[in-house]
Amino acid sequence: MTFENLQVNIENRIATVYIDRPKKLNALNRATIEELHQAFKSLRDDKDAAVIILTGTGEKAFVAGADISEFSEYSVGQGKDLAAKGQEQVFDYIANFPKPVIAAVNGFALGGGLELAMSAHFRIASDNARLGLPETSLGVIPGYGGTQRLPQLVGKGRAMEMIMTAGMIDAQTAKDYGLVNHVTTLEELIPLAEKLANKILNNSMQAISAAIEAVNDNYKDGIDGFETEINNFGKSFGTEDFKEGTQAFLNKKKPNFN
Ligand code: COA
């Protein structure tokens, strides 16, 4: 896969997607949003990619937000379209991705950058990371899911404070808030993401996809996540992975999933 604003490396069943506009602190312009959609669409069917790590190029930024220079002249309708299209093609697409997506936050994750990290299934950060939703300082509100996902992850009060103050929190505070799971040095960030990815790769990818769907359904209006859990639990019993996992346990062996 070749892109103008992304780099994608696939090795040992791990695909690492780098947002690659370091001179603009990896800000998400329309072209990058489109490329992210294409990259994830293609990774969905790529048998060589089982776990995805999402990160930014350079030592300064994961993503410093949506590209402000592109939307500063937008009308009401264009603003609404920007949010709707971005949410559908990238942010919801990643949140509902059937393969695990880990965000490795390597610096500024602001606005659309934090929203992108929050659309991943979980996050780790380097100790130089700064996270925030500064949109209200620009006269807009978060438009790529931030008003919904931030309260889900850190609680309503903390989310309200972050959105209203438009301030940034450091990596340790993000960990204390439950926004990121682990904090490490910049050098150790990708190795840690790979270590976690490899741990995931020991398990049944089929079961993991079913679990992602069930967990996500907890947050969808009008959908009963418990019902999804019951259905997906039941379906697991019909899979080769279930036979492999249970037989391996009973025979005191390590499972070898497809
Ligand atoms: N959109 C467009 N360009 C951006 C950007 C964004 N969200 N964030 C950074 N850039 C660009 C800057 O304009 C600058 O470009 P230039 O060199 O052509 O002038 C370049 O990236 C480097 O950024 P700079 O501001 O010089 O770096 P800094 O270290 O002084 O400050 C930040 C870093 C992250 C604090 C600052 O860039 C910033 O506040 N960015 C906007 C964050 C934001 O509000 N995001 C939400 C958007 S909805």
Side-chain angles (χ1 to χ4, degrees), residues 222-241:
I223 295 181
D224 182 354
F226 287 97
E227 200 63 40
T228 308
E229 181 180 285
I230 290 166
N231 288 332
N232 288 2
F233 179 79
K235 279 186 210 160
S236 306
F237 285 71
T239 66
E240 287 301 316
D241 277 5

Side-chain angles (χ1 to χ4, degrees):
M1 282 182 272
T2 337
F3 299 101
E4 197 184 326
N5 304 301
L6 303 178
Q7 278 183 47
V8 182
N9 302 331
I10 303 177
E11 219 173 312
N12 301 326
R13 301 178 71 208
I14 302 171
T16 308
V17 178
Y18 292 86
I19 320 280
D20 188 26
R21 294 182 79 213
K23 286 190 180 133
K24 294 289 174 189
L25 302 187
N26 302 327
L28 298 175
N29 59 357
R30 276 193 306 267
T32 309
I33 291 279
E34 180 58 37
E35 288 188 353
L36 274 168
H37 179 63
Q38 291 309 330
F40 273 86
K41 216 170 120 183
S42 131
L43 290 172
R44 202 183 163 103
D45 300 323
D46 191 331
K47 293 210 175 351
D48 292 334
V51 178
I52 290 87
I53 297 171
L54 185 55
T55 192
T57 298
E59 300 189 346
K60 199 167 165 186
F62 172 72
V63 168
D67 193 316
I68 300 168
S69 65
E70 269 191 356
F71 66 69
S72 62
E73 304 291 328
Y74 273 15
S75 66
V76 170
Q78 285 173 308
K80 193 173 170 187
D81 283 351
L82 181 74
K85 197 171 166 209
Q87 289 194 21
E88 184 198 329
Q89 293 205 326
V90 175
F91 297 80
D92 289 348
Y93 196 80
I94 291 176
N96 294 304
F97 207 63
K99 301 176 181 181
V101 183
I102 305 169
V105 178
N106 59 309
F108 288 115
L110 302 174
L114 178 52
E115 290 170 304
L116 186 64
M118 290 194 295
S119 70
H121 297 131
F122 64 91
R123 289 141 294 285
I124 63 171
S126 52
D127 48 21
N128 64 323
R130 297 284 178 278
L131 304 90
L133 292 178
E135 285 88 345
T136 60
S137 72
L138 298 166
V140 286
I141 71 164
Y144 287 147
T147 64
Q148 307 302 298
R149 290 198 179 98
L150 189 60
Q152 285 168 3
L153 287 164
V154 306
K156 186 176 170 185
R158 285 168 171 162
M160 285 288 199
E161 182 180 335
M162 286 177 68
I163 291 167
M164 290 175 187
T165 62
M168 298 181 205
I169 57 171
D170 61 19
Q172 189 53 49
T173 308
K175 184 167 179 248
D176 295 343
Y177 279 13
L179 187 52
V180 304
N181 294 2
H182 307 279
V183 176
T184 185
T185 61
L186 191 55
E187 294 70 36
E188 283 302 311
L189 184 67
I190 298 302
L192 175 60
E194 287 172 350
K195 193 172 154 196
L196 291 163
N198 280 315
K199 229 174 151 180
I200 292 170
L201 284 168
N202 289 329
N203 303 319
S204 158
M205 287 299 142
Q206 202 159 32
I208 286 172
S209 288
I212 291 171
E213 186 185 28
V215 172
N216 279 341
D217 278 1
N218 182 34
Y219 300 95
K220 289 181 185 161
D221 275 347
I223 295 181
D224 182 354
F226 287 97
E227 200 63 40
T228 308
E229 181 180 285
I230 290 166
N231 288 332
N232 288 2
F233 179 79
K235 279 186 210 160
S236 306
F237 285 71
T239 66
E240 287 301 316
D241 277 5
F242 176 71
K243 275 186 216 144
E244 174 66 24
T246 49
Q247 286 310 308
F249 177 81
L250 295 172
N251 293 315
K252 302 197 184 302
K253 287 184 180 157
K254 270 186 82 172
N256 185 12
F257 294 114
N258 281 327

